[in-house]
Amino acid sequence: MFTFFLNFIFTFAAFIPNGRFFHSSVLIDNKLYFSGGYNDSLGIITNEFFYLDVSKPLETTNNSSIQWVDLTYTGGPLKTETTACIGGKNNDIIFIFGGYSHTSQYFVNQFDTSEQQWINIASVGNVPTNRNYTSCANFNNRSIAIFSGYSSINDFWIFNTLTQSWSLGNTTNAPPSRCAYYAITLPDENILYIGGVSGINITVYMPMNNFTSGPTPPVRDSFSAVLTSDERIIIFGGSYETTNLGDLWILDITKFQWSIGNILNPITNLTLQGHTATLVDNYMFVSFGEFSIGNLSSRIFMLDVSRKDSYRWVTEFTPT
Ligand SMILES: *[C@@H]1O[C@H](CO)[C@@H](O)[C@H](O)[C@H]1NC(C)=O
Ligand SMILES: *[C@@H]1O[C@H](CO)[C@@H](O)[C@H](O)[C@H]1NC(C)=O
Ligand SMILES: *[C@@H]1O[C@H](CO)[C@@H](O)[C@H](O)[C@H]1NC(C)=O
Ligand SMILES: *[C@@H]1O[C@H](CO)[C@@H](O)[C@H](O)[C@H]1NC(C)=O
Ligand SMILES: *[C@@H]1O[C@H](CO)[C@@H](O)[C@H](O)[C@H]1NC(C)=O
Ligand SMILES: *[C@@H]1O[C@H](CO)[C@@H](O)[C@H](O)[C@H]1NC(C)=O
Ligand SMILES: *[C@@H]1O[C@H](CO)[C@@H](O)[C@H](O)[C@H]1NC(C)=O
Ligand SMILES: *[C@@H]1O[C@H](CO)[C@@H](O)[C@H](O)[C@H]1NC(C)=O
Ligand SMILES: *[C@@H]1O[C@H](CO)[C@@H](O)[C@H](O)[C@H]1NC(C)=O
Ligand SMILES: *[C@@H]1O[C@H](CO)[C@@H](O)[C@H](O)[C@H]1NC(C)=O
């Protein structure tokens, strides 16, 4: 009876999210979760929390084929500029770190996707100061790394998701402080920190070519990055000063060589910052974000990334 009742609500009270940016997102068990962000260009922060079911085919041009499930009622955090990673014994827990809010918030919020329940983790002992615009990275089986952030030094923190405890990492040879960068854990467990701006002077952009070869992507912040199983990092969009970007770049991590991503069917004037990108099968789902100042995206764009030499926007997704 109870299950039937929930299915009834989810099926018929269609939830279609409005535009938002600087939200966070993770994929667990064919559900692409989204939390918080600004859902208004005037700086309104939202506590909306929902997922997109990617276990079923969808067509981005047909709203009724896009299965959104609203979980805001579970009481998620009212935060923007957060970062989210998965963890816990079964890798079914979402951890949301840092961020900015008009009210006081916990530094770590965790959502157990199996129990559908939030737990705010009280910060005790040696813990990071609150910070925003970071990018978390999973490493060392169930740990998460947090580096630097807005108005932070270049400190490096390790969060053990099994014990929910923090420790400070070794920052010998650490790069300068930064925020609005993107972190990617490589197959060899090194974490690559890409781009962003200085955490102590946001007018200073971080280089994109500090040990890479090939052409160099223009510097940027608030972009997205995904890692493919065949060792390509694909970055998209972001912003430079007050201009949003829409270019695609590929980093071959076997050679640490950049190249421009060739999109066969580019979308005219598609620029985004503060969006998220997630790899689902061979598709990069580019979700929400700010097209241009005052114009927020409520859309999902899907890029077919199955080929190394050419990329293609698609409107239909069929899970494999
Ligand atoms: C923004 O999110 C809040 C909930 O946090 C909601 O009440 C409000 O309607 C949303 N605004 C828009 C424009 O969707
Ligand atoms: C889908 O829903 C969004 C948000 O309500 C709306 O802006 C858009 O026009 C709809 N698209 C189609 C094809 O109906
Ligand atoms: C839109 O999607 C719904 C649900 O999957 C489907 O029933 C409907 O036929 C689709 N409409 C079009 C025009 O393809
Ligand atoms: C990773 O951690 C999980 C949870 O503690 C454990 O079950 C698994 O065996 C570990 N995997 C490896 C490769 O150590
Ligand atoms: C987060 O960023 C905003 C700018 O968007 C800044 O004003 C605020 O102080 C930052 N908060 C923290 C905790 O760093
Ligand atoms: C930190 O790393 C450096 C370089 O790898 C090493 O020399 C140093 O001993 C480490 N410090 C600690 C406290 O582990
Ligand atoms: C470039 O990388 C080296 C270590 O490989 C580091 O010492 C240096 O600070 C980095 N510079 C920037 C601007 O990230
Ligand atoms: C921030 O960096 C810019 C560009 O390098 C420089 O002109 C400015 O003085 C710096 N501001 C501070 C507060 O250091
Ligand atoms: C694309 O942007 C340019 C420059 O802002 C503008 O002139 C042009 O009208 C735009 N094209 C479309 C199709 O919106
Ligand atoms: C917002 O940007 C999108 C994507 O470039 C564009 O299609 C749309 O017309 C813009 N809306 C407004 C109100 O400028």
Side-chain angles (χ1 to χ4, degrees):
M1 269 308 280
F2 186 61
T3 308
F4 174 78
F5 181 61
L6 287 181
N7 284 338
F8 179 80
I9 292 177
F10 290 163
T11 313
F12 295 102
F15 168 73
I16 301 180
N18 289 322
R20 69 201 57 235
F21 66 145
F22 292 114
H23 53 285
S24 54
S25 182
V26 287
L27 179 69
I28 297 182
D29 190 27
N30 289 315
K31 297 179 175 79
L32 185 52
Y33 289 88
F34 296 93
S35 168
Y38 295 105
N39 67 347
D40 190 297
S41 53
L42 299 172
I44 307 290
I45 300 171
T46 183
N47 67 344
E48 284 174 344
F49 177 63
F50 52 91
Y51 69 80
L52 172 65
D53 184 347
V54 294
S55 69
K56 301 187 181 78
L58 65 88
E59 222 178 321
T60 52
T61 50
N62 176 358
N63 278 340
S64 46
S65 73
I66 307 177
Q67 311 241 336
W68 296 108
V69 177
D70 188 12
L71 296 175
T72 307
Y73 72 89
T74 58
L78 181 74
K79 301 204 284 194
T80 186
E81 302 155 5
T82 58
T83 180
C85 281
I86 64 173
K89 192 165 184 305
N90 303 315
N91 258 340
D92 60 354
I93 296 177
I94 302 172
F95 292 90
I96 296 176
F97 298 96
Y100 176 55
S101 190
H102 301 306
T103 58
S104 161
Q105 299 281 326
Y106 286 90
F107 186 68
V108 187
N109 309 93
Q110 76 172 58
F111 182 74
D112 183 325
T113 60
S114 304
E115 302 290 330
Q116 300 234 324
Q117 203 171 40
W118 288 96
I119 298 167
N120 299 316
I121 302 179
S123 299
V124 286
N126 195 18
V127 299
T129 51
N130 195 26
R131 62 195 63 200
N132 43 13
Y133 293 114
T134 65
S135 173
C136 57
N138 281 101
F139 78 116
N140 192 25
N141 192 23
R142 308 296 199 269
S143 286
I144 295 171
I146 302 273
F147 177 62
S148 196
Y150 187 97
S151 67
S152 295
I153 57 165
N154 62 346
D155 52 354
F156 182 74
W157 290 89
I158 299 162
F159 183 72
N160 180 328
T161 69
L162 298 173
T163 59
Q164 299 172 355
S165 55
W166 289 99
S167 56
L168 259 178
N170 184 336
T171 45
T172 306
N173 300 328
S177 92
R178 65 193 59 207
C179 63
Y181 59 83
Y182 208 94
I184 293 271
T185 306
L186 302 176
D188 67 3
E189 290 268 302
N190 276 302
I191 304 171
L192 197 60
Y193 287 89
I194 310 170
V197 292
S198 163
I200 45 185
N201 184 343
I202 59 166
T203 68
V204 177
Y205 283 81
M206 295 294 120
M208 301 289 284
N209 62 346
N210 191 6
F211 65 83
T212 63
S213 60
T216 302
V219 293
R220 66 194 62 213
D221 62 71
S222 309
F223 57 100
S224 62
V226 297
L227 173 64
T228 65
S229 55
D230 63 357
E231 311 207 289
R232 284 171 285 158
I233 290 175
I234 303 172
I235 73 164
F236 177 70
S239 99
Y240 175 70
E241 294 179 347
T242 56
T243 304
N244 292 354
L245 310 172
D247 51 346
L248 187 77
W249 286 82
I250 316 300
L251 180 65
D252 175 339
I253 58 165
T254 63
K255 301 181 199 146
F256 281 99
Q257 189 168 23
W258 285 109
S259 57
I260 292 177
N262 169 33
I263 302 181
L264 297 177
N265 57 345
I267 299 172
T268 309
N269 288 0
L270 176 61
T271 56
L272 282 171
Q273 74 146 341
H275 56 289
T276 49
T278 315
L279 207 55
V280 184
D281 300 336
N282 275 320
Y283 300 91
M284 183 173 86
F285 280 49
V286 175
S287 310
F288 305 105
E290 184 200 59
F291 289 126
S292 56
I293 291 171
N295 182 359
L296 302 187
S297 168
S298 59
R299 295 179 56 185
I300 305 284
F301 294 93
M302 301 182 300
L303 188 73
D304 180 343
V305 302
S306 56
R307 296 188 51 172
K308 278 186 185 225
D309 47 356
S310 63
Y311 296 82
R312 201 165 49 89
W313 293 112
V314 297
T315 57
E316 281 177 48
F317 166 76
T318 307
T320 51

